[in-house]
Amino acid sequence: MTRTRRVLVVGGGSSGWLMAAYLDAALNREARLVDITLVESPDVPRIGVGEATIPNINHMLAVIGIDRLEFMKRVDGTFKQSIRYVDWLHGNGEYYHHPFSRYRPSPIDRSGRDWLMSDRSIPFTETVSAQPIICELGLAPTMLGKWNFGTPLTFAYHMNALKFADMLCDLATARGVRHFLDNVTRVETTADGAIEAVSTAGGERLEADLFVDCTGFAAILAGKALGVDWVDCSQWLLCDRAVTMAVPYERHYPGHVRPYTSATALSNGWVWEIPLQDRRSLGYVHSSAFITDEEAERELRAFEGAHAETLDSRVVRFRVGHRARPWVQNCVAVGLAGSFIEPLESTGLYLSSLAAVILAEHFPWHGGMQPLAFRFNRIMVNRFYEILDFINMHYCLTRRTDSPFWREVGRPERVNDRLRAKLDFWRVKPPSPADFEDQFLPGQAAAAVPNGGLPGDDRCPIDTAGLWGYDSYEAILYGMDFLSEECAVWYGPDRPAPRVLKRVLDKIRQAPAKLPPHHVWLQRVLGMPAYAAARAPGAG
Ligand SMILES: Cc1cc2nc3c(=O)[nH]c(=O)nc-3n(C[C@H](O)[C@H](O)[C@H](O)COP(=O)(O)OP(=O)(O)OC[C@H]3O[C@@H](n4cnc5c(N)ncnc54)[C@H](O)[C@@H]3O)c2cc1C
């Protein structure tokens, strides 16, 4: 018979509670085989940001057993169907979408290549996905009373991250996860460097077989107690701060709730706009090497408008990188304790979710943690670099030269080696599925990032397209006008208008009659209050 295993999660932010709830749902389904305890500080607040998600959240909710309507009600949730990138290419008000749904004609998807041969008079993603137009029309992705509209549109959510952690806490503790509100003050280690127990200010001594460090940037187990190295990646992503602000609808309601996240490039970084049911959240992600926090705050207020002048703001500092080995001995670092990449594609909670899924799959039922840790680390570090490449690409394709920041991010040395190999290859052959079959491309250094610190593994991190395949790359590349000069030479000046897939045209034709405006869906289905829309400046 399997002995009951003990897991101690330290930290009760979104990562800690997601880990506790997921492990409990995944491992204790048939019988209570794992005792899970979570200890969180009553004094150190959760970071509170982390409000935009990607579609994998639906899998997490399903496994944990959370009804999505209940979820949206509890966390002030709204739908997210895309990220709309504004001003990233020239800074002239241009935009493009990275939608969650797009059609892939089979058996061979030539949409990208066809578009490259066209005159580009319709943005690429609008030829393969109905979601950019559905977003621009401000429509919900589902009908009133029915989740699907023909082929379902993929969606994720915007949510209040603090309420999400509270919801997971209520659910997990009701199912038997033990919860302590206490400060961990001491970590006891064994002679071979494993963790034996942690002690708290309140006098508890908590032992476990496996410890999960979800203590945020403090990383009190993996970083402070075990001294696991942090691999800094700030040479490729220069931003290290965000000035954040919330605009309550009571103060200013624009009259609609956008069904997408906006990411607008400013002078020294970019600002997120995340609409919830009671407010919009904003955050100016910027680089302290190029702009002070005070200047960034002023720019953010000017971006938002006069109604933002007296709103509170706060500065969040971060560092881009990852633990060289997220799982060492019997300690696994997850969430901000394990890695951080700026939130341009909303991947923070995704990485915490992935860690929970992979940890459940690699759970050390029978001891012998090292091989499990090796695989866990390999998967997590690969995925980290996959995300890093993708975010790096948003910056390095810019043609903006209007500030030292934008000139700097466009310099060749700011492009990491794997991404450079991809871009060079795609200048010869545009992206297609086979590029991710074998992830080693011409010109790529064998150890571009020295093996991510994984002992016994001297292969460089690879991109398995676990998160983004050729189609997401196409969305960003062509949104950023990649290959425009090459195509002018390859295909000449007289090119036809782009062909829009019939399925896209059909969906767009039907959408306004079938899909309600996003705010109407939120009001009717979730009971979001009807706020008075702010009047445009100067309007009588
Ligand atoms: C600017 C910014 C924007 C972001 N935007 C997004 C986004 O849009 N989408 C997304 O998916 N992700 C985003 N993220 C990432 C996201 O915020 C995190 O992945 C998520 O909040 C998880 O945080 P965490 O639980 O790891 O850490 P935290 O929320 O910081 O939680 C740490 C926990 O550890 C506890 N703790 C600390 N010290 C002790 C101690 N001594 N004893 C006991 N407990 C202790 C604290 O009390 C707290 O409960 C963003 C991050 C930043 C910095």
Side-chain angles (χ1 to χ4, degrees), residues 46 127 267 310 385 389 427 435 447 451 523:
R46 299 165 181 156
T127 66
S267 71
T310 52
Y385 282 105
D389 284 12
R427 286 191 177 98
D435 303 337
N451 73 37
Q523 284 163 357

Side-chain angles (χ1 to χ4, degrees), residues 4 33 93 111 163 180 227 270 311 323 331 337-338 383 395 413 452 454 466 486 520:
T4 303
L33 299 174
S111 321
K163 290 189 178 180
F180 288 91
W270 61 277
L311 293 172
R323 289 277 149 227
C331 174
R383 196 57 48 86
Y395 283 98
E413 54 272 41
L454 308 180
E486 287 85 346
V520 171

Side-chain angles (χ1 to χ4, degrees), residues 440-490:
F440 211 67
L441 297 172
Q444 188 172 332
V449 175
N451 73 37
L454 308 180
D457 180 3
D458 54 7
R459 292 176 310 150
C460 64
I462 53 170
D463 182 349
T464 59
L467 184 49
W468 295 300
Y470 74 97
D471 39 8
S472 281
Y473 272 96
E474 284 180 338
I476 308 305
L477 289 169
Y478 303 152
M480 293 296 284
D481 221 14
F482 185 65
L483 293 181
S484 57
E485 285 85 3
E486 287 85 346
C487 286
V489 176
W490 295 340

Side-chain angles (χ1 to χ4, degrees), residues 348-405:
L349 270 186
Y350 163 78
L351 278 170
S352 301
S353 307
L354 180 72
V357 172
I358 303 296
L359 185 57
E361 203 177 314
H362 292 71
F363 193 75
W365 291 111
H366 317 293
M369 290 205 196
Q370 214 186 335
L372 301 171
F374 179 92
R375 284 299 299 161
F376 177 94
N377 290 341
R378 181 83 200 152
I379 292 164
M380 293 306 297
V381 173
N382 277 346
R383 196 57 48 86
F384 173 90
Y385 282 105
E386 179 184 334
I387 296 171
L388 184 85
D389 284 12
F390 198 68
I391 307 287
N392 194 185
M393 181 173 69
H394 291 65
Y395 283 98
C396 75
L397 296 177
T398 188
R399 297 186 188 184
R400 288 183 67 145
T401 53
D402 52 304
S403 72
F405 172 82

Side-chain angles (χ1 to χ4, degrees), residues 24 168-177:
D24 180 63
L168 290 167
C169 166
D170 290 349
L171 185 138
T173 49
R175 291 177 180 175
V177 170

Side-chain angles (χ1 to χ4, degrees), residues 222-234:
K224 294 207 175 102
L226 300 189
V228 183
D229 287 341
W230 179 263
V231 180
D232 178 76
C233 296
S234 57

